[in-house]
Amino acid sequence: KQEVTQIPAALSVPEGENLVLNCSFTDSAIYNLQWFRQDPGKGLTSLLLIQSSQREQTSGRLNASLDKSSGRSTLYIAASQPGDSATYLCAVRGNSNYQLIWGAGTKLIIKP
Amino acid sequence: DARVTQTPRHKVTEMGQEVTMRCQPILGHNTVFWYRQTMMQGLELLAYFRNRAPLDDSGMPKDRFSAEMPDATLATLKIQPSEPRDSAVYFCASGLGAGGGETQYFGPGTRLLVL
């Protein structure tokens, strides 16, 4: 059974710092992995989707990497801004099932 | 700017009452997902539709929950009778794809409180 873990559960850093959020999964037979952002009281916004054949995806200041063999993905945020404050969730889709298995999220606070 | 819409945004009701939540997926999307989010359980998939057909509703308590897509522009999630443990945020998401591996676009959610 696939399990997705995100560490740390919460992170607070000063504005301007580069930071890394971690996501690990137990079953490497994945179809893709997605990173989402959730603002308080809001829905989820898809940030990046990495197919199983890809190693990384980039969008603006965000870069997500995928290492299937080790069951890990990282979300790198460059030059963090207060507007990046949110909860970041990763979700994995397996090869045999359309369902997304979700991590519990990392709550990120960027201090001005 | 296409987006998923959900109504109502907030709902407070008493135990035993019927609750209906509605979702309008992005025009042209052929997949719809219903999720429930709580602090304790995180995000849970309740139901999944592709081309309006229900492919999986194993995550729903069958005795009280039902999900339908009367047409391609409307998905509904009903709870009857509602219970306090149903209090949660219910999200609808839509996507375009064949296998469910596509990017999912989430609505703002319906925050349900059952007293």
Side-chain angles (χ1 to χ4, degrees), chain A residues 7-95:
Chain A
I7 294 174
L11 180 63
S12 180
V13 300
E15 179 180 3
E17 283 198 6
N18 303 323
L19 57 97
V20 174
L21 306 181
N22 296 295
C23 172
S24 61
F25 45 95
T26 54
D27 186 350
S28 62
I30 66 170
Y31 186 85
N32 62 33
L33 182 146
Q34 298 186 56
W35 282 94
F36 290 84
R37 166 185 174 139
Q38 185 173 26
D39 294 282
K42 302 284 182 64
L44 285 75
T45 301
S46 180
L47 298 173
L48 291 163
L49 184 154
I50 312 177
Q51 301 292 353
S52 62
S53 58
Q54 297 174 323
R55 294 299 298 263
E56 65 177 349
Q57 283 286 337
T58 297
S59 175
R61 295 183 292 110
L62 304 180
N63 176 278
S65 68
L66 174 64
D67 183 343
K68 279 200 314 179
S69 61
S70 66
R72 292 180 182 178
S73 175
T74 62
L75 179 66
Y76 176 82
I77 302 178
S80 58
Q81 302 171 357
D84 295 329
S85 298
T87 296
Y88 291 81
L89 297 100
C90 73
V92 168
R93 187 214 159 188
N95 282 327

Side-chain angles (χ1 to χ4, degrees), chain B residues 41-71:
Chain B
Q41 300 293 331
L43 272 161
E44 303 172 277
L45 179 67
L46 298 176
Y48 167 53
F49 290 78
R50 187 195 307 158
N51 297 325
R52 294 178 56 202
L55 294 192
D56 187 356
D57 59 3
S58 60
M60 292 198 308
K62 296 293 189 303
D63 57 338
R64 298 185 301 108
F65 284 59
S66 63
E68 296 180 345
M69 280 200 75
D71 60 61

